[in-house]
Amino acid sequence: DTLVLPKASSVLEIGPGEGDLLPALAERCTRLVALDNSPAMLDIARSKVRPELNVTFIEGDIHQGVLDGQYFDVAVANMVLHHTPDPAEIFNDLSKLLTPGGSLIITELCQHDQSWARKSCGDLWLGFDTEDLSYWAAKAGLWDGKSLHLTQRNGFQLQLRQFYKPINQQPI
């Protein structure tokens, strides 16, 4: 909510899951793309968005080049990184898609020791240290922005992080 976006902005959400964020994102921009590699999840997400909100749903993987030639003012990855084999690569891919001055918003679990989450939830990672996210962002040419850490009732801690592409850095 504190990220100020011009109305004529473009937003990408990777791994929108069931689409809970899409309606709120769609109200803040003129172009919203939801990218997921699961057709079933895209169908669920699509059902939560009113057609007049004009969300484009794309089935595919960010590494497949399905977004080549497109640039976004904001990219959102909400609870996605702990399901990916190489989170650092996600930072690289998303950095290339951001316009200069664009923001990458990451919501992710803080590092934890709840190994049951691997089997029950399909987690590949048991959360992340904040330093890891900052390191991967810096390697991808992104700078640290605002951050917020929240403790959940179930004992997990979440980190909400903003990284941004410097204005003097052109899209790759």
Side-chain angles (χ1 to χ4, degrees):
D1 284 341
T2 62
L3 185 62
V4 178
L5 284 175
K7 185 61 179 168
S9 59
S10 59
V11 176
L12 166 68
E13 184 177 5
I14 65 163
E18 295 185 357
D20 294 331
L21 280 180
L22 293 174
L25 291 172
E27 291 176 4
R28 292 176 168 85
C29 64
T30 53
R31 179 172 164 251
L32 176 58
V33 173
L35 174 69
D36 203 301
N37 61 6
S38 167
M41 293 309 288
L42 281 176
D43 286 342
I44 294 170
R46 197 176 281 114
S47 73
K48 294 199 176 170
V49 177
R50 297 185 323 269
E52 66 270 15
L53 290 179
N54 198 24
V55 178
T56 302
F57 293 90
I58 299 176
E59 180 187 341
D61 188 297
I62 195 166
H63 310 304
Q64 296 172 332
V66 295
L67 299 173
D68 285 353
Q70 298 184 51
Y71 298 101
F72 300 90
D73 300 302
V74 176
V76 176
N78 181 36
M79 304 300 284
V80 169
L81 296 180
H82 64 272
H83 293 289
T84 63
D86 189 352
E89 191 174 20
I90 298 292
F91 278 88
N92 290 328
D93 292 335
L94 291 175
S95 177
K96 293 173 186 175
L97 297 173
L98 286 175
T99 59
S103 290
L104 170 58
I105 307 296
I106 301 279
T107 307
E108 195 47 73
L109 295 168
C110 293
Q111 192 166 24
H112 62 84
D113 61 2
Q114 304 297 317
S115 59
W116 59 265
R118 291 186 197 271
K119 186 173 183 179
S120 297
C121 305
D123 294 7
L124 299 178
W125 297 85
L126 298 179
F128 302 96
D129 283 330
T130 57
E131 294 81 16
D132 290 335
L133 299 184
S134 292
Y135 175 75
W136 294 329
K139 284 195 67 158
L142 302 172
W143 294 2
D144 277 337
K146 297 177 183 178
S147 67
L148 179 66
H149 288 75
L150 306 166
T151 301
Q152 303 298 298
R153 287 185 187 164
N154 62 8
F156 285 103
Q157 289 187 317
L158 294 178
Q159 51 187 312
L160 177 59
R161 305 285 307 276
Q162 174 199 17
F163 302 97
Y164 65 95
K165 186 176 231 176
I167 292 182
N168 61 355
Q169 188 176 348
Q170 295 302 312
I172 298 172

